[in-house]
Amino acid sequence: MKRKILLVEDELHLRETIELNLILEKYEVISVGDGKSALETFNGMPFDLIILDVMLPEIDGYTLCQAIRTTDSSIPILFLTAKGNSRDRIHGLKLGADDYLPKPFDLEEFLLRVKNLLKRTGRSNYISNGEFEFGECKVSFLNYTGENYKNEKRNFSQKEIQLLRLLIENKNEVVSRNTILEIVWGVDRYPSTRTIDNFIVTFRKFFERDPKNPFHFHSVRGVGYKFSE
């Protein structure tokens, strides 16, 4: 399966050049020229990587990055921008970007960064159109809602939905506590690890038929948590 990339760049010539080279590397590329179109496209289909310019019409790249991170904490984001000083790079990384490449850039270096980001994340395609179904349950990552086997519905907080997404995207794999803290809360805002335990208890009470013997949300003592269908 080809890895799918969303390219957001308002400079037409550069966008076409980047898109062509990514296609030659066997990636599937969807390209747009403004932030509003990018957000609509991102919400409409799953991607493995987002390549994002900062200076965009409609919605700037920084704001777009923040919007993406409210619903997806793990998709890699690579900024391409003429704003290359250290303050701008730090700002972009704090907003949730994974890498930052100033313009003009070397094409070979760019392609290597793309390859490394995709290799590091190994992102799954379990989530389709912002939703995921398991058993008789469903989660909407766009609406921050869930529905259980009793057809009961409830709203989730931003952190809860980010944790749900992280676990589901790593289905059948143990996600460590440290990874959860870094991705969901960020390195500068660590809560008590008990907070994660409470979130898992909430998921079990709502989604599991027998919360004391969970089928979907598992604790791995001393390591972290795992989601299974």
Side-chain angles (χ1 to χ4, degrees):
M1 182 182 295
K2 287 186 178 181
R3 310 303 293 275
K4 185 180 292 186
I5 296 174
L6 175 59
L7 170 62
V8 191
E9 168 61 59
D10 66 329
E11 186 181 332
L12 179 59
H13 177 70
L14 180 58
R15 185 168 75 245
E16 290 176 341
T17 299
I18 293 173
E19 181 176 6
L20 174 61
N21 280 273
L22 290 171
I23 291 173
L24 290 174
E25 293 294 317
K26 309 302 183 185
Y27 299 118
E28 180 180 350
V29 184
I30 306 294
S31 64
V32 297
D34 65 83
K36 183 179 179 181
S37 298
L39 190 57
E40 291 173 351
T41 303
F42 168 76
N43 287 332
M45 65 185 76
F47 288 95
D48 299 291
L49 171 68
I50 298 176
I51 299 170
L52 188 58
D53 189 17
V54 171
M55 306 298 290
L56 292 169
E58 303 288 346
I59 303 173
D60 69 81
Y62 290 145
T63 303
L64 182 58
C65 180
Q66 284 182 298
I68 290 169
R69 281 292 178 247
T70 62
T71 57
D72 193 322
S73 61
S74 60
I75 185 171
I77 297 175
L78 169 60
F79 269 129
L80 299 179
T81 178
K83 297 168 70 68
N85 63 56
S86 60
R87 185 174 60 183
D88 290 320
R89 289 197 299 271
I90 290 170
H91 182 55
L93 293 171
K94 281 185 175 181
L95 291 176
D98 297 270
D99 203 352
Y100 201 107
L101 188 59
K103 300 175 184 177
F105 52 83
D106 180 85
L107 187 58
E108 184 177 1
E109 179 185 359
F110 162 72
L111 292 173
L112 282 172
R113 287 178 185 244
V114 167
K115 183 179 180 179
N116 287 337
L117 283 171
L118 289 169
K119 184 191 301 182
R120 192 168 73 221
T121 57
R123 179 178 168 82
S124 72
N125 289 313
Y126 299 133
I127 297 168
S128 176
N129 296 324
E131 293 189 348
F132 179 77
E133 296 185 13
F134 57 102
E136 299 174 75
C137 304
K138 181 167 64 176
V139 180
S140 171
F141 297 97
L142 301 180
N143 298 322
Y144 291 25
T145 59
E147 183 175 334
N148 64 15
Y149 63 94
K150 298 178 182 178
N151 294 321
E152 298 171 336
K153 297 181 179 180
R154 66 157 290 167
N155 296 321
F156 290 105
S157 69
Q158 178 182 329
K159 297 300 182 188
E160 286 173 328
I161 214 73
Q162 287 178 336
L163 178 54
L164 275 171
R165 184 156 197 149
L166 178 61
L167 293 174
I168 289 170
E169 286 180 340
N170 292 276
K171 184 173 66 173
N172 299 322
E173 298 180 7
V174 178
V175 182
S176 71
R177 286 174 174 268
N178 285 340
T179 297
I180 291 171
L181 290 170
E182 289 175 4
I183 292 178
V184 177
W185 276 273
V187 294
D188 297 325
R189 298 183 296 276
Y190 277 8
S192 164
T193 55
R194 185 64 184 168
T195 302
I196 303 174
D197 297 334
N198 291 336
F199 279 17
I200 298 297
V201 169
T202 297
F203 299 158
R204 287 173 176 165
K205 286 182 177 179
F206 183 70
F207 291 116
E208 302 279 6
R209 287 182 176 272
D210 183 358
K212 293 184 178 179
N213 297 285
F215 184 81
H216 300 294
F217 296 93
H218 308 277
S219 299
V220 180
R221 185 178 294 275
V223 182
Y225 301 93
K226 180 176 71 172
F227 172 82
S228 301
E229 282 193 84

